[in-house]
Amino acid sequence: MSDRLRIALQKKGRLAEDSFALLKKCGLRFSIRGGGLLARVKNMPIDLLLVRDDDIPSFVANNAADIGIVGENVLVEEQLTAKSTLDANISMRLGFSRCKLCLAASETGPVQSAKDLQGTTIATTYPGVTARYLKESGITAKLVEMKGAVELAPSIGIAESICDLVSSGATLEANGLAAFETILDSEAVLIGSGRELSPERADTLDKLLNRIAGVLKSADSKYIMLNAPKDAVGKITSLLPGSDAPTIMPLAGQDDLVAIQAVCTETVFWETLEGLKALGARAILVLPIEKMMS
Ligand code: PRT
Ligand code: ZN
């Protein structure tokens, strides 16, 4: 039997779908059905361990999984509250599930900014990160740990302020709260430990990391094709975002025009296309790139 790489993933929740989608884009074939803890990848020596997100850092640290995908907020919280040093570190930022851990309070209450926190009570699901912030800021405040519904704490008199995750801000607004300080910016991250892997697992991991890097790079990248007046080639190619070596070709029967093709590794905005058009570019096509490997 082959030596299979084990990846810890959130079974259900805000991270789950995007984590599965990323691995599928990397060519892994699997199906997540039923209540199983393990899902087998059919075409690579990989098993997926499907768990609660809070368990992922310690599973990676304790060898239950080789790598994992988790919110940076959870990783940092687990590192700060673990009884001993947790051997789990970020090996790649993945760019999805972005959110912020914010201090927030009622717009009409006693706490309006960080300097008002002294001597007050803060409700949070993130006592580790919040305590670190208070210590670094020289603030003494009481923390009340809650497992959920933190946004209700001020209205029921449990705390003057809260420290919770915010993405759109709609939950805060619906509860009459406003954020006054961001204490952590978070996104999904791939984590690993310092342990050495067997050669087979190391090889699988290396392949996977290269594929993930390719998927992340191609997500922003576009292939751009256009026709340009010969005398504007310099200006036009300098407008192409994040492209270093465009291909320039003659156009049959059109001596004053050339065709330009380039991979743009940064977002191509409508404003860029308008700029290209103003320089005389015509027949501009922007195409998605499915896969990339360098
Ligand atoms: O069951 P399990 O323990 O695995 O999941 P969970 O319930 O602990 O976590 P889950 O699935 O809710 O979130 C997983 C991860 O998603 C988090 O750890 C973050 O890294 C990330 N994430 C991104 C978020 C949000 N955005 C988010 N908005 N996690 C939670 N929220 C909550 C927040 O707590 C608040 O209640 O959404 C509300 C605020 O959202 P807005 O859009 O109204 O601001
Ligand atoms: Zn959780």
Side-chain angles (χ1 to χ4, degrees), residues 139-182:
I139 298 167
T140 311
K142 193 175 158 211
L143 291 182
V144 173
E145 187 177 350
M146 292 175 72
K147 293 290 178 204
V150 177
E151 63 279 359
L152 299 178
S155 62
I156 54 177
I158 293 176
E160 288 90 346
S161 64
I162 66 167
C163 187
D164 198 13
L165 292 175
V166 178
S167 61
S168 68
T171 305
L172 289 183
E173 206 182 314
N175 288 280
L177 303 172
F180 57 84
E181 185 94 6
T182 296

Side-chain angles (χ1 to χ4, degrees), residues 10 12 52-55 74 126:
Q10 189 190 32
K12 222 170 82 187
R52 302 246 346 228
D53 65 346
D54 318 72
D55 289 332
V74 169
Y126 291 86

Side-chain angles (χ1 to χ4, degrees), residues 227-272:
N227 294 342
K230 258 186 185 157
D231 54 6
V233 166
K235 281 188 177 159
I236 285 182
T237 51
S238 69
L239 258 196
L240 300 173
S243 86
D244 36 41
T247 308
I248 300 172
M249 290 167 292
L251 273 171
Q254 307 233 25
D255 287 346
D256 53 337
L257 289 181
V258 287
I260 300 180
Q261 300 186 0
V263 173
C264 295
T265 55
E266 291 160 27
T267 313
V268 180
F269 294 105
W270 280 109
E271 288 76 5
T272 312

Side-chain angles (χ1 to χ4, degrees), residues 26-142:
C26 290
L28 277 64
R29 291 202 286 116
F30 55 89
S31 72
I32 309 285
R33 278 201 209 105
L37 188 65
L38 269 188
R40 204 178 161 85
V41 175
K42 296 180 185 108
N43 57 339
M44 279 175 87
I46 298 177
D47 287 329
L48 309 178
L49 182 67
L50 305 167
V51 292
R52 302 246 346 228
D53 65 346
D54 318 72
D55 289 332
I56 293 174
S58 62
F59 280 180
V60 168
N62 298 327
N63 209 9
D66 300 307
I67 58 169
I69 294 179
V70 71
E72 194 174 353
N73 52 305
V74 169
L75 172 69
V76 176
E77 180 66 21
E78 296 298 313
Q79 280 170 332
L80 290 171
T81 53
K83 290 192 182 69
S84 57
T85 316
L86 209 61
D87 182 12
N89 301 296
I90 298 178
S91 38
M92 210 185 266
R93 302 188 159 273
L94 301 174
F96 60 85
S97 287
R98 286 184 192 277
C99 56
K100 299 184 290 187
L101 189 59
C102 292
L103 284 157
S106 159
E107 277 166 330
T108 55
V111 176
Q112 292 300 306
S113 69
K115 64 177 171 22
D116 304 326
L117 290 169
Q118 183 67 30
T120 62
T121 303
I122 307 169
T124 185
T125 356
Y126 291 86
V129 188
T130 312
R132 178 177 73 175
Y133 166 81
L134 293 174
K135 190 167 172 226
E136 285 172 0
S137 312
I139 298 167
T140 311
K142 193 175 158 211

